[in-house]
Amino acid sequence: MPLVLVLLLFVRIISPLHATSARDTISPSETLGGGDELVSGNGKYKLGFFQTGSESSRNTSSYWYLGIRINRVPTMTPVWVANGDDPIADLTAAVLTISPDDGNLVVLNPVTGSIIWSTQANTTTNDTIATLSDGGNLVLQKSLDPSDVLWQSFDHPTSCLLPGAKLGRDKLTGLNRRLVSRKNSINQAHGAYSLELDPTGPSQFVLVEINSGITYWSSGEWNGQFFNSIPDMGTYSEFVNNSREVYLTTPLKDSNAVAYLSLEVSGQARSFIWYEQLQDWVTSAVQPKSQCDVYALCGPYTVCDDNVIPSCSCMKGFSIKSPKDWELEDRTGGCIRNTPLDCSSNKAMGSMSTDGFYSIPCFRLPQNAQNTTVVASEGECAQVCLSNCSCTAYSFGDYGCYVWHDELLNVKQQQHSDLTNTKVELNVRLAGKELKFGGNHRRPMLVWVVTSAAVALFGLVLLLMIWRNRTKRYCRILNSVQGGNGIVAFRFIDLQHATKSFSVKLGSGGFGSVYKGFLADSTAIAVKMLDGIGQGEKQFRAEVSSIGIIQHINLVKLIGFCSEGNKRLLVYEYLPYHSLDVHLFQSSITFLNWKTRYQVALGVARGLAYLHESCRECIIHCDIKPQNILLDASFTPKIADFGMAKVMKRDFNRALTTMRGTIGYLAPEWLSGVAITSKIDVYSYGMVLLEIISGRRNTSEQCTSCAGDDVYFPLRVANNLLKGDVLGLVDPKLCEDVSLEEVERVCKIACWCIQDKDSDRPAMGEVVQILEGRREVDVPPVPKILQAVAGSHY
Ligand SMILES: *[C@@H]1O[C@H](CO)[C@@H](O)[C@H](O)[C@H]1NC(C)=O
Ligand SMILES: *[C@@H]1O[C@H](CO)[C@@H](O)[C@H](O)[C@H]1NC(C)=O
Ligand SMILES: *[C@@H]1O[C@H](CO)[C@@H](O)[C@H](O)[C@H]1NC(C)=O
Ligand SMILES: *[C@@H]1O[C@H](CO)[C@@H](O)[C@H](O)[C@H]1NC(C)=O
Ligand SMILES: *[C@@H]1O[C@H](CO)[C@@H](O)[C@H](O)[C@H]1NC(C)=O
Ligand SMILES: *[C@@H]1O[C@H](CO)[C@@H](O)[C@H](O)[C@H]1NC(C)=O
């Protein structure tokens, strides 16, 4: 039965190859018209003319492009576009062919012969052919000497990088392969952002806003294994710097996988993997992580807020400049002023401007502030701004008085004020009329100008005295907001939509059920619906906020939450891979070798150590078990469900109680009613370690009927350690292909972790040190409770 299923799947994937005897090559005198396609030999990619825009809606762009799309997936995914800047209006007036004149691959009007697009290679023959390779590379070569590549699409990428393609520079020819985002979701012309090798020299990649040349993200330098700012990427990518070229490439490990990297209209670089079971793309990585970190994403006079979708909105008193572009996700045009400012203070001395200010609480103030040195009060700071017609905003605080002239760019809004202590307000200059009639939500803050020579003089003295310190503090405020670790408050209806009405259930546990979903930007999420939570909304928000700022490579990231009425949901990043129990106990899934198991043990220890020791407030997980340890594509473990005790409060205990029948991970103090410390996690971790070693559950039901020699495994470990025989404890599936020293170390740690008294157990930080080989460990005593439990059960 499963075999049939596998075969069916296989046939479905492979069929395009045999079903159509599509060609992958175009030769001289052949043409490719509107409906024709070249398909790569493996059926994965196709080249042809296409129209962008959603297929479900009839409102597609009236323009056609020649490009390469992924053939294996049902959703339209262009990965390369030839004529992005020169779309074709009438498809009947365009064919792809080899130019009889110079052998270039060209799109031309068959009637007039005028060329719409050309590979523009420096050719010496018209005897050339163009082939779409299995890797999705369109190659123009001499038909007599195919090794002589005249031009290839991999050398001229648009917004996507396919596996195996290079991103970087050819040192001899100067060719710079970089990605450039598209104009919007329909128009394939080049857009505002580029991803390229740092032109200033260091071996790193940067994201740049092309018009201003401003770099808003960098990968960090290559250290031989990974780029410093994105350590998780190292396992997949290669950075090459030889005498000819310097580039990054990501080979495809599994030739059946379908994946690509794209520089999105939004200025974020995003990696996609096709997920067969879901029939959809899953985002496997995104940089910068925070949408609002993209430079000038929302254009002038906007505020960017990572917590809402879309993240851009106009400042009060401004309207979207181009609603059409805005709709198509290109918001770089920003907003324009509704009512012109009153510049009377420039015109006639003494007459007062009727303009006022509207204040926006910000995480990040606009660029290019100018500071004024002679100001004592907020009112005076406002006056400085009002006295110059080009001044558009001011901000006054500990740091002094800052004013801005002309366009305001890159303002990031503060929403969860409880997430940060820094309070910065930007006061945007508006015409008085806007302020009088507009205020529907907030009362606009009108600052009436007060001039007082005495105040000014006093202020000057005061300011001179304290100037330096304050300037420093100002800089810190601006820098500290770059990380963007806020979490999103979702509306229930949005989550309902994202999860297709909670239709894909991933699992359920003591706290509720988990559902799969996608955000509007196609980020995959896991939504946990909490059962019967008694906590009030405010408290829930506070707890969730404190958990949301915890980030570590070995912890599953909390993206957001929803709290409406009695509904409480948590939204996590989705990992399309199995949890540790599936890997360990269900032999049909991937097999974990010893090296991997050791790395998993170390990763989990690091994650827990971080929760216990490095966070501002110690977080006890309370429910460590293999089901809560997810492994990603490179088998990096990620601990799920941390902070549940904080979120669930009293209900947590009840939820745990209902699970006790099946557990083997709960420390004895749960039953004895003494104070719970982080050592209960250490105990559970020890139990998990034992299962990692043995590859089977500590409490295996089958074993009640097993032969008498099958002693309760944790007890056997303790006994065997004393006897000095650990090899017999190891999962037979490993075939003794293990490091004996490491097995012994792990057994000792596990046994120390499950000691009866919590004070005898090591802290997770110590466990990490031992696993890293930085610290020695003695043979532990046999835990007494274990002995008692085992005695009564077996
Ligand atoms: C397509 O969309 C544009 C802009 O959104 C709109 O102006 C136009 O009327 C639409 N065309 C059709 C046929 O719906
Ligand atoms: C190639 O060019 C030669 C003359 O330069 C011409 O005679 C020949 O027909 C061309 N070949 C094709 C396939 O157009
Ligand atoms: C074109 O190729 C010829 C011969 O290979 C070479 O001499 C010439 O410099 C090339 N021109 C350009 C612009 O690369
Ligand atoms: C490549 O290597 C050369 C010599 O080792 C070095 O000078 C250069 O900076 C490197 N370039 C990049 C982009 O890493
Ligand atoms: C603020 O003004 C002082 C004095 O004019 C100047 O030294 C300082 O660099 C300015 N700071 C900023 C951030 O513009
Ligand atoms: C207004 O400010 C701008 C920018 O600082 C300056 O160039 C201009 O001279 C000022 N205008 C007046 C009237 O002060």
Side-chain angles (χ1 to χ4, degrees):
M1 168 66 171
L3 187 67
V4 174
L5 217 79
V6 168
L7 280 177
L8 277 176
L9 215 73
F10 196 65
V11 168
R12 260 197 53 215
I13 292 175
I14 297 304
S15 59
L17 200 158
H18 299 291
T20 62
S21 55
R23 56 196 172 132
D24 64 359
T25 300
I26 184 164
S27 309
S29 78
E30 288 183 339
T31 58
L32 196 83
D36 302 336
E37 280 167 354
L38 292 188
V39 178
S40 66
N42 58 2
K44 208 162 173 178
Y45 302 98
K46 62 185 173 190
L47 172 78
F49 293 96
F50 66 93
Q51 247 181 334
T52 49
S54 148
E55 278 150 357
S56 58
S57 129
R58 252 172 285 142
N59 197 352
T60 53
S61 123
S62 55
Y63 292 129
W64 290 86
Y65 299 97
L66 173 74
I68 298 171
R69 282 168 293 161
I70 296 178
N71 192 33
R72 281 238 183 112
V73 306
T75 55
M76 192 181 74
T77 314
V79 290
W80 179 78
V81 181
N83 56 324
D85 291 319
D86 307 293
I88 300 154
D90 178 8
L91 194 58
T92 59
V95 291
L96 179 71
T97 189
I98 303 276
S99 162
D101 304 330
D102 59 8
N104 268 304
L105 187 65
V106 291
V107 176
L108 50 76
N109 184 323
V111 182
T112 65
S114 66
I115 289 174
I116 298 160
W117 172 82
S118 161
T119 49
Q120 294 181 325
N122 185 11
T123 58
T124 51
T125 170
N126 62 4
D127 191 14
T128 58
I129 55 166
T131 306
L132 183 61
S133 79
D134 281 354
N137 189 10
L138 181 63
V139 186
L140 181 71
Q141 52 213 153
K142 288 183 183 160
S143 45
L144 296 177
D145 179 13
S147 67
D148 193 348
V149 172
L150 301 165
W151 176 95
Q152 54 183 336
S153 60
F154 274 13
D155 281 343
H156 305 273
T158 48
S159 62
C160 296
L161 189 72
L162 288 173
K166 296 168 181 175
L167 192 67
R169 244 191 335 260
D170 185 317
K171 292 175 181 172
L172 301 182
T173 65
L175 175 78
N176 187 16
R177 305 178 196 93
R178 61 175 196 165
L179 302 186
V180 175
S181 65
R182 301 294 94 187
K183 175 90 174 71
N184 60 42
S185 56
I186 300 274
N187 188 337
Q188 298 291 298
H190 70 273
Y193 304 103
S194 78
L195 172 63
E196 59 191 292
L197 189 67
D198 191 339
T200 65
S203 27
Q204 63 178 0
F205 285 83
V206 290
L207 282 167
V208 177
E209 203 271 334
I210 296 171
N211 276 339
S212 63
I214 284 174
T215 297
Y216 58 89
W217 177 85
S218 84
S219 65
E221 288 207 44
W222 180 258
N223 62 16
Q225 282 173 323
F226 53 83
F227 294 99
N228 282 325
S229 310
I230 39 173
D232 10 355
M233 210 186 91
T235 26
Y236 314 112
S237 299
E238 291 163 15
F239 183 71
V240 176
N241 181 6
N242 57 32
S243 57
R244 212 200 130 86
E245 289 173 299
V246 46
Y247 65 87
L248 170 83
T249 187
T250 309
L252 200 58
K253 295 267 154 61
D254 171 4
S255 64
N256 259 322
V258 186
Y260 68 100
L261 170 81
S262 161
L263 179 54
E264 305 271 273
V265 175
S266 70
Q268 282 174 307
R270 209 175 260 280
S271 305
F272 291 97
I273 293 181
W274 180 257
Y275 199 39
E276 194 63 34
Q277 282 93 326
L278 288 165
Q279 287 292 295
D280 211 343
W281 292 105
V282 170
T283 298
S284 56
V286 58
Q287 296 291 347
K289 293 210 157 67
S290 166
Q291 177 68 86
C292 293
D293 286 348
V294 175
Y295 180 79
L297 172 78
C298 304
Y301 303 115
T302 56
V303 286
C304 189
D305 186 344
D306 277 314
N307 299 314
V308 297
I309 294 170
S311 34
C312 302
S313 59
C314 288
M315 288 174 177
K316 182 189 153 66
F318 294 82
S319 305
I320 296 169
K321 190 175 177 187
S322 167
K324 196 164 141 263
D325 288 331
W326 195 273
E327 199 60 30
L328 298 171
E329 290 164 42
D330 172 16
R331 297 172 185 132
T332 52
C335 302
I336 46 171
R337 198 177 283 283
N338 295 339
T339 313
L341 292 177
D342 172 29
C343 284
S344 54
S345 56
N346 274 358
K347 286 175 254 157
M349 286 298 271
S351 77
M352 208 181 270
S353 168
T354 59
D355 294 344
F357 293 92
Y358 176 74
S359 87
I360 301 169
C362 308
F363 268 140
R364 182 179 63 204
L365 291 168
Q367 315 267 306
N368 306 325
Q370 293 184 1
N371 70 44
T372 61
T373 44
V374 279
V375 158
S377 67
E378 174 152 18
E380 230 180 306
C381 188
Q383 197 202 17
V384 169
C385 185
L386 286 179
S387 66
N388 186 324
C389 212
S390 73
C391 177
T392 48
Y394 79 89
S395 180
F396 183 82
D398 296 351
Y399 40 86
C401 172
Y402 283 74
V403 296
W404 285 265
H405 292 276
D406 305 318
E407 293 188 336
L408 300 173
L409 266 183
N410 257 9
V411 176
K412 189 166 166 182
Q413 181 141 33
Q414 178 174 28
Q415 194 155 69
H416 301 294
S417 50
D418 51 337
L419 284 179
T420 173
N421 300 323
T422 58
K423 192 163 187 289
V424 180
E425 276 189 341
L426 178 72
N427 298 287
V428 180
R429 182 174 179 179
L430 290 179
K433 189 177 144 223
E434 289 289 335
L435 292 164
K436 269 180 215 137
F437 302 110
N440 43 356
H441 301 300
R442 296 167 54 93
R443 296 260 348 126
M445 199 191 90
L446 273 170
V447 180
W448 296 110
V449 180
V450 183
T451 37
S452 158
V455 169
L457 201 66
F458 175 66
L460 178 66
V461 172
L462 196 73
L463 217 80
L464 286 174
M465 276 163 60
I466 55 178
W467 182 251
R468 220 165 252 131
N469 289 342
R470 297 297 159 93
T471 311
K472 268 187 205 140
R473 266 166 84 183
Y474 174 67
C475 294
R476 208 181 56 231
I477 293 169
L478 287 192
N479 292 339
S480 70
V481 301
Q482 290 292 337
N485 49 17
I487 58 169
V488 187
F490 290 96
R491 292 182 307 167
F492 183 73
I493 189 163
D494 291 337
L495 291 181
Q496 204 169 19
H497 186 242
T499 57
K500 297 204 175 91
S501 301
F502 304 98
S503 53
V504 185
K505 191 167 180 169
L506 296 170
S508 56
F511 310 116
S513 301
V514 185
Y515 301 91
K516 160 107 217 226
F518 288 95
L519 297 181
D521 63 357
S522 78
T523 308
I525 51 171
V527 179
K528 180 166 221 140
M529 199 186 280
L530 301 173
D531 286 339
I533 185 161
Q535 220 181 88
E537 177 155 355
K538 204 170 164 195
Q539 202 181 3
F540 179 76
R541 274 174 185 266
E543 297 297 2
V544 168
S545 299
S546 72
I547 296 164
I549 57 176
I550 297 168
Q551 287 188 34
H552 187 270
I553 185 157
N554 296 119
L555 300 175
V556 174
K557 188 173 163 8
L558 181 70
I559 298 172
F561 67 96
C562 169
S563 175
E564 274 179 27
N566 58 2
K567 297 189 197 78
R568 299 285 184 277
L569 299 96
L570 296 174
V571 181
Y572 292 96
E573 67 171 326
Y574 175 71
L575 297 169
Y577 300 90
H578 298 286
S579 53
L580 182 58
D581 58 327
V582 176
H583 285 285
L584 283 178
F585 310 135
Q586 296 178 16
S587 48
S588 60
I589 311 287
T590 31
F591 170 69
L592 302 180
N593 64 22
W594 176 254
K595 195 162 161 269
T596 309
R597 290 185 199 209
Y598 198 83
Q599 286 310 314
V600 169
L602 183 55
V604 176
R606 283 184 180 142
L608 278 176
Y610 184 78
L611 280 180
H612 290 174
E613 293 156 31
S614 306
C615 297
R616 211 175 302 160
E617 208 183 331
C618 169
I619 290 193
I620 307 174
H621 188 293
C622 293
D623 196 18
I624 287 293
K625 56 186 177 186
Q627 291 92 314
N628 275 339
I629 297 164
L630 306 179
L631 301 186
D632 73 9
S634 54
F635 297 109
T636 303
K638 291 187 184 268
I639 301 171
D641 261 3
F642 59 92
M644 287 309 289
K646 275 166 78 76
V647 173
M648 300 294 287
K649 286 273 167 346
R650 278 186 304 278
D651 299 302
F652 183 77
N653 210 2
R654 179 182 54 74
L656 274 186
T657 316
T658 59
M659 295 188 297
R660 272 187 194 148
T662 58
I663 42 78
Y665 310 100
L666 289 187
E669 51 273 32
W670 277 114
L671 306 169
S672 63
V674 301
I676 300 301
T677 68
S678 60
K679 293 294 179 68
I680 62 161
D681 284 350
V682 178
Y683 184 96
S684 309
Y685 174 78
M687 283 300 188
V688 172
L689 265 194
L690 293 171
E691 296 187 328
I692 291 176
I693 298 164
S694 69
R696 56 172 218 194
R697 294 187 196 278
N698 291 335
T699 51
S700 170
E701 272 151 40
Q702 293 140 320
C703 272
T704 48
S705 60
C706 279
D709 65 354
D710 211 336
V711 183
Y712 183 48
F713 186 73
L715 191 60
R716 227 178 98 199
V717 173
N719 288 331
N720 279 30
L721 273 174
L722 290 175
K723 283 189 277 172
D725 163 31
V726 289
L727 204 53
L729 301 169
V730 175
D731 188 346
K733 292 198 288 296
L734 289 166
C735 299
E736 304 198 347
D737 184 9
V738 297
S739 153
L740 205 56
E741 194 207 329
E742 287 178 354
V743 171
E744 197 179 337
R745 199 182 300 156
V746 173
C747 285
K748 282 182 188 167
I749 294 171
C751 208
W752 274 114
C753 287
I754 58 172
Q755 291 295 311
D756 305 328
K757 276 171 64 190
D758 60 357
S759 56
D760 290 338
R761 300 173 207 149
M764 283 319 296
E766 293 175 291
V767 171
V768 171
Q769 288 178 351
I770 299 166
L771 283 173
E772 287 173 344
R774 290 191 282 133
R775 196 174 171 141
E776 288 306 313
V777 58
D778 292 327
V779 175
V782 178
K784 290 213 175 47
I785 296 177
L786 215 61
Q787 225 158 4
V789 170
S792 67
H793 282 46
Y794 293 92

